[in-house]
């Protein structure tokens, strides 16, 4: 298991025995359950986030979890409450600026950047004011699977189930407004309300994911599985399913490797997610290259056949 907190070197790997050993520890079972819930939530919400080109908003909502957790710790309440309170509040603030209209996109980007900078500075202020032990700050920023309680697992499962239920209800109009907002608005789809609801769901997903990956690396699970899936297919149902599957597999492998390592789990989540995206892009480029080569070969053969008497 990971031994960074006790200052001992990591044990060598024995894959067969270690895979069975991992499940013998309640904290690892909790980590896998929480990680799976977070990966499913981030994969589904992240797919819409990438489709709607709101990655900057997702990045900001992820970072907002840091001052939220730090402020909750300063007040002596649970960090989980701080994650969700700040992320959801920031989502409402971002939703207050319209994305459409002249200068709408620029206003949204400026507001998001302003909110991000202000709340990050608040987070550092809260840490400076806190006079207790700050050993958990590293976990807030870069993630940790140690110490995940059964109560946290059930909280994340409940949040995931509730968020996905809302996403199912608004899924079809949200997809319509995401791909063609002008036509959707003309058809009577409440695009502004859908955008607000989606940003709140994105804030909830960012808050939940922060507890596994850390606030600085939430982006790994929110954007990279979704971007990988959309690289591989343009079909919405298949793309979302792939996004969730990639997120779950990345989280599981990261937990297994982090169990044997002295490094934060967020590093492995990010590395594996990025590696998957790179492989997907290389596969698509190779397929395009093969298709072009076949097309050129067919054209040459056709031209040669036409030249024959």
């Amino acid at each position: 298991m990971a031994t960074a907190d006790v200052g001992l070197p990591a044990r060598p790997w024995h894959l067969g025995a270690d895979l069975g050993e991992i499940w013998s520890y309640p904290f690892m079972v909790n980590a896998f359950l929480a990680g799976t819930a977070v990966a499913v939530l981030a994969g589904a919400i992240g797919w819409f986030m990438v489709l709607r080109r709101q990655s900057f908003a997702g990045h900001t909502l992820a970072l907002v979890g840091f001052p939220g957790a730090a402020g909750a710790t300063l007040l002596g309440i649970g960090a989980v409450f701080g994650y969700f309170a700040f992320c959801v509040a920031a989502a409402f603030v971002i939703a207050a600026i319209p994305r459409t209209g002249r200068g709408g996109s620029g206003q949204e980007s400026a507001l998001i950047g302003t909110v991000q900078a202000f709340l990050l500075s608040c987070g550092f202020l809260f840490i400076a004011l806190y006079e207790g032990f700050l050993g958990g700050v590293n976990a807030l920023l870069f993630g940790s699977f140690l110490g995940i309680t059964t109560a946290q697992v059930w909280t994340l499962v409940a949040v995931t189930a509730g968020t996905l239920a809302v996403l199912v209800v608004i899924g079809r109009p949200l997809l319509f407004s995401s791909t063609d907002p002008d036509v959707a608005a003309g058809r009577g789809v409440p695009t502004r309300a859908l955008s607000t609801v989606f940003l709140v769901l994105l804030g909830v997903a960012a808050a939940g994911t922060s507890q596994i990956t850390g606030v600085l690396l939430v982006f790994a699970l929110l954007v990279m599985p979704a971007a990988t899936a959309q690289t591989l297919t343009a079909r919405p149902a298949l793309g979302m399913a792939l996004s969730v599957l990639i997120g779950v597999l990345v989280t599981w492998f990261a937990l297994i490797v982090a169990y044997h390592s002295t490094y934060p789990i967020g590093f492995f989540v990010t590395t594996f997610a990025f590696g998957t995206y790179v492989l997907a892009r290389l596969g698509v480029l190779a397929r395009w290259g093969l298709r072009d080569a076949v097309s050129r070969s067919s054209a040459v053969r056709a031209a040669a056949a036409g030249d024959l008497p």
Side-chain angles (χ1 to χ4, degrees):
M1 59 181 289
T3 55
D5 292 338
V6 296
L8 298 176
R11 296 188 294 102
W13 286 30
H14 300 287
L15 185 60
D18 287 345
L19 286 178
E21 180 185 347
I22 285 175
W23 290 97
S24 67
Y25 293 104
F27 78 91
M28 285 303 299
V29 174
N30 286 340
F32 270 89
L33 291 175
T36 302
V38 162
V40 171
L41 178 60
I45 297 295
W47 188 87
F48 276 103
M49 182 190 73
V50 173
L51 179 67
R52 293 173 61 85
R53 296 178 176 85
Q54 289 188 293
S55 297
F56 187 33
H59 179 57
T60 297
L61 291 174
L63 293 179
V64 164
F66 168 59
T73 302
L74 176 63
L75 295 175
I77 59 179
V80 174
F81 176 80
Y83 278 123
F84 286 103
F86 268 60
C87 288
V88 172
F92 278 112
V93 172
I94 294 173
I97 296 297
R99 301 187 69 203
T100 58
R102 185 175 182 180
S105 178
Q107 291 179 28
E108 184 191 45
S109 298
L111 175 66
I112 291 174
T114 301
V115 170
Q116 182 183 121
F118 172 70
L119 291 178
L120 278 177
S121 65
C122 288
F124 287 110
L125 174 63
F126 297 153
I127 287 179
L129 294 175
Y130 184 64
E131 297 179 354
F133 178 62
L134 291 175
V137 173
N138 187 63
L140 287 178
L141 296 176
F142 300 105
S144 174
F145 61 93
L146 299 173
I148 296 176
T149 65
T150 302
Q152 285 178 301
V153 171
W154 285 114
T155 298
L156 289 174
V157 170
V159 167
T160 297
T163 304
L164 292 181
V166 175
L167 190 63
V168 168
V169 172
I170 67 171
R172 290 179 64 86
L174 181 63
L175 179 62
F176 188 13
S177 66
S178 299
T179 54
D180 199 335
D182 294 332
V183 174
R187 294 288 185 88
V189 176
T191 55
R192 183 70 183 275
L194 284 173
S195 179
T196 301
V197 172
F198 174 73
L199 282 170
V200 171
L201 296 181
L202 182 57
V204 170
T209 308
S210 297
Q211 299 173 57
I212 299 294
T213 63
V215 297
L216 295 183
L217 301 175
V218 172
F219 215 44
L221 279 182
L222 275 176
V223 72
M224 281 194 272
T228 302
Q230 292 187 21
T231 297
L232 296 174
T233 179
R235 297 170 59 185
L238 179 58
M240 185 175 293
L242 277 176
S243 178
V244 169
L245 178 62
I246 292 169
V248 170
L249 292 178
V250 163
T251 302
W252 285 357
F253 279 113
L255 281 168
I256 293 171
V257 175
Y259 174 83
H260 297 85
S261 173
T262 60
Y263 301 107
I265 182 178
F267 167 75
F268 298 110
V269 170
T270 305
T271 301
F272 295 157
F274 178 70
T276 303
Y277 176 76
V278 170
L279 289 176
R281 292 296 302 175
L282 290 176
V284 169
L285 292 175
R287 185 177 62 187
W288 288 348
L290 179 61
R291 183 181 302 171
D292 290 343
V294 171
S295 298
R296 287 195 298 268
S297 177
S298 299
V300 170
R301 287 198 299 270
D307 290 339
L308 293 177

